[in-house]
Amino acid sequence: MKYFSSLVVLLLILNSCDTKKTKTFSNDEVSIVPKPSEMVIAEGSYKFTKETKISVANDAQKPAAKYLSDLFKTAIGDSITIVNTKEDNGVIFSEDESLTREAYTLEVTPKKIVIKASDAAGYFYGVQTLRQLLPPSIETENSEEQNWLVPSISIKDGPRFAWRGMHMDFSRHFFSMDEVKTFLDYMALYKLNTYHMHLTDDQGWRIEVKKYPLLTEKGAWRVESSHDKACKELAKTDPSFTIDERHYHDRDGKKMYGGFFTQDDIKDIIAYAAERQIEVIPEIDMPGHFKSAIDNYPYLSCTGEAGWGELFSTPACLGKETTYDFTKNILSEIVDLFPSEYIHIGGDEVNIQSWKECPLCQKAIKDNHLKDEHELQSFFNREIEDFLKSKGKRMMGWDEIVEGGISDKTSMMWWRNWAPDMLTKAANNGNDIVMTPCFEYYFDAQHEVTPFAKVYNYEPIPEGFNQDQSKYILGVQANLWSEMIPNFKRLQYMAFPRLLALAETAWTSKEDKDHEDFEKRMLRQYDRLDALDIQYHIPSVTGFKDKVAFLDKATIDLQAPLKGMDIYYTTDGSVPSRDSKKYSGPFEISETATLNTIAYRGEIASDERTALIEKQTYMEPVGITPKTGSIKRWAGEKQFSVVDEVTLPKNASFTPVETIDFSGYDGKEQVSMVFKGYFYAAEDGLYEFATTSDDGSLLYIGKKMVVDNGGNHSAMEKNGMVALKKGWHPLIVKFHEATGGGTLKGWYTAPNSEKQVLEGAVIGE
Ligand code: ACM
Ligand code: ZN
């Protein structure tokens, strides 16, 4: 008896020692993206060993259990045994019917890990969270890690949105099966569940259609597109733009770029995605973006020829029965192949000019009592919509499809930030909406233009939407148009780290999102991305303006883009590298210099950032006192193609406006503007100016260009500084809106003041 009790005591001590022996994790050491709804860290941790077993009780749990077991197989060469018996230690999957779709709970103690859910997706997401609680080396082959610890933790979690999507464009540049699967793995890690494959476009047809073999025999191959040319040009100085050689093949004695997925490939992709709880949505863009079909079946167009309009390719003729038969025959095969609820038919950016000139299209408009060519496209959409409905599918298209009216069963992807009316129109009509705004969720945009924080801070429920309208927002998706993404490494670089910001918006409730906390968690996520060998973007060094002005000397105080990164810089114009001067603290510059900076995280370099640090003398004011509160604006359409070319025509006529903006021209394209007036400096000092513009703008004080925000690009802020004497100074802003919705705003910051809009008493004409 005595002996027995001391054994119990000894066991108790051993047990408690065991708990103590395992590490207790701090909040800062745990990084889960997307952030779970509820999470409490407790004492101790669970350690995976060779003896750990995974126990499953039903079929819905098996894919998640296998995924976890396979992770260890890759990392240590040994999978973890999955058993069908009830265990009271190891990893235990257990059903909890009270949990909603995709939701899960995860309880980790030093003794066991319990994952509860009510469906396969919930179990799967429990495993993805567990994966992120394991050391990053779980992502690597032949890991040397010995201590597979998971913090003791209690998590309750579930998604905000049902549609958590990523898109890839296979037409402009193609990607291989392996790359598709690798990308699906990335999506799984961050609980994204919808993979939108843009399979056809003007530059290449990428899916086998048995009834129309020329689509891939010929339509999947090209000699060189304008995008290929542009990539090759850039690759001369930046190898990340190199076109993937594996997609060049010898065809009929010519070196051609291309490739396509066979229907068996597609089945393989769908199955691989399904194991990761991802649904694959195909997009067959019609009746525009259809050149790769028309090239090979020219009877599809109005004139019997393929071609280009001013911006977009010649679409299929909507006055010919053959177009309806052709598209429906294609969709028949697509419907049979893809189990998804939705089939995406594109419907964007159609050049309607050929329909205006085509007697058959005009006859179709008349016979069907349609108002115009837009209604003709709607007529076509409705035909396709009915056809898909007859096959048990729902139609989805880009937001243009809403313009001429659609039924409430169809859903819309909203991409045109400059067409907010489409949102209210769709919601009021009862159409489900996926938010893919071009300004925030187009990951083919440069990181400078669409930075990580802009992605994170975007709220997908449109401002002004009431509760009833909000329920039509299905979710969010980011797109990776591949015109300028010619290889998979470049695709990683464009997608990451923005994909994580999107994933958190997609999953985490609005209330639980917190940018600062996210940035903190990201620091550890980069370790995981490194382990996965993902090339991600790191922003550039900050702490200075794009153009810095000083009178006597400037103090340069640099900030690393991520904590712990080392900064290197040059001031002689040379390219910065690890061999340059290492930054160790603020330094002074007393002569004009070009500052070039770069930062390193291990082997991965940030973007370079450069600034002119200019010694200036005060600019003298002009001796006039203008009328305040307005500035003169000239606007002209279709005269220039980029702001850098904009000059005032002879006899330009000006209109007074209250501020520097694009008002009165919303939705117009190819518009140039020149603002001419004066800026008031209330005291001697260094003034900062800034513009945000889409497309480009240039701001001058006197003859000096202070803000260079030139070129054609989406909304981007640039700034610069100038030394001004008290008084009025000539102010000129040039602007050009090329395509895709215009934005313009101008700011100034006076010495020791806050940034303010250029309006009111500081401007005059
Ligand atoms: C699109 O970007 N044209 C949908
Ligand atoms: Zn026609």
Side-chain angles (χ1 to χ4, degrees), residues 490-547:
R490 183 78 200 170
L491 183 127
Q492 293 176 345
Y493 173 82
M494 299 312 284
F496 290 92
R498 295 186 281 203
L499 183 143
L500 282 78
L502 174 88
E504 186 138 314
T505 300
W507 182 274
T508 306
S509 73
K510 187 180 173 189
E511 297 69 35
D512 285 337
K513 275 179 71 183
D514 173 345
H515 187 231
E516 211 173 297
D517 174 66
F518 181 62
E519 292 272 8
K520 235 196 255 166
R521 277 178 287 128
M522 277 306 297
L523 289 176
R524 288 188 178 271
Q525 289 293 328
Y526 287 116
D527 294 339
R528 198 162 295 271
L529 300 185
D530 287 338
L532 285 162
D533 194 25
I534 290 175
Q535 178 114 30
Y536 50 87
H537 170 261
I538 296 180
S540 48
V541 173
T542 58
F544 53 95
K545 303 281 158 199
D546 300 323
K547 284 180 171 187

Side-chain angles (χ1 to χ4, degrees), residues 344-396:
H344 199 305
I345 62 115
D348 58 323
E349 299 182 325
V350 180
N351 168 31
I352 58 171
Q353 190 56 33
S354 57
W355 299 343
K356 285 188 179 167
E357 293 159 9
C358 168
L360 292 176
C361 285
Q362 291 305 313
K363 183 171 182 308
I365 290 176
K366 200 161 158 242
D367 290 353
N368 294 292
H369 314 291
L370 306 171
K371 202 169 74 203
D372 57 13
E373 290 73 23
H374 295 291
E375 286 202 357
L376 180 60
Q377 190 179 348
S378 283
F379 175 79
F380 169 78
N381 289 343
R382 282 180 196 271
E383 280 276 320
I384 298 297
E385 184 183 38
D386 286 346
F387 175 75
L388 290 173
K389 214 185 289 174
S390 76
K391 299 275 184 185
K393 299 288 189 187
R394 289 177 71 184
M395 185 170 99
M396 179 167 277

Side-chain angles (χ1 to χ4, degrees), residues 31 50 235 293 303:
S31 164
K50 280 197 163 60
T303 59

Side-chain angles (χ1 to χ4, degrees), residues 23-97:
K23 174 182 157 91
T24 292
F25 285 73
S26 70
N27 240 317
D28 282 353
E29 288 174 292
V30 173
S31 164
I32 302 169
V33 172
K35 185 181 181 180
S37 322
E38 287 176 36
M39 182 181 102
V40 181
I41 299 172
E43 212 170 298
S45 43
Y46 179 88
K47 184 171 177 175
F48 276 86
T49 66
K50 280 197 163 60
E51 282 72 45
T52 301
K53 286 190 174 54
I54 303 173
S55 82
V56 293
N58 65 38
D59 284 350
Q61 297 163 354
K62 284 181 183 164
K66 182 171 183 310
Y67 200 94
L68 178 61
S69 174
D70 286 351
L71 278 176
F72 277 95
K73 190 165 181 183
T74 308
I76 58 171
D78 246 340
S79 47
I80 300 183
T81 312
I82 302 173
V83 295
N84 290 311
T85 49
K86 218 175 157 121
E87 303 288 323
D88 67 354
N89 55 28
V91 182
I92 301 159
F93 285 90
S94 158
E95 187 169 356
D96 181 345
E97 281 182 354

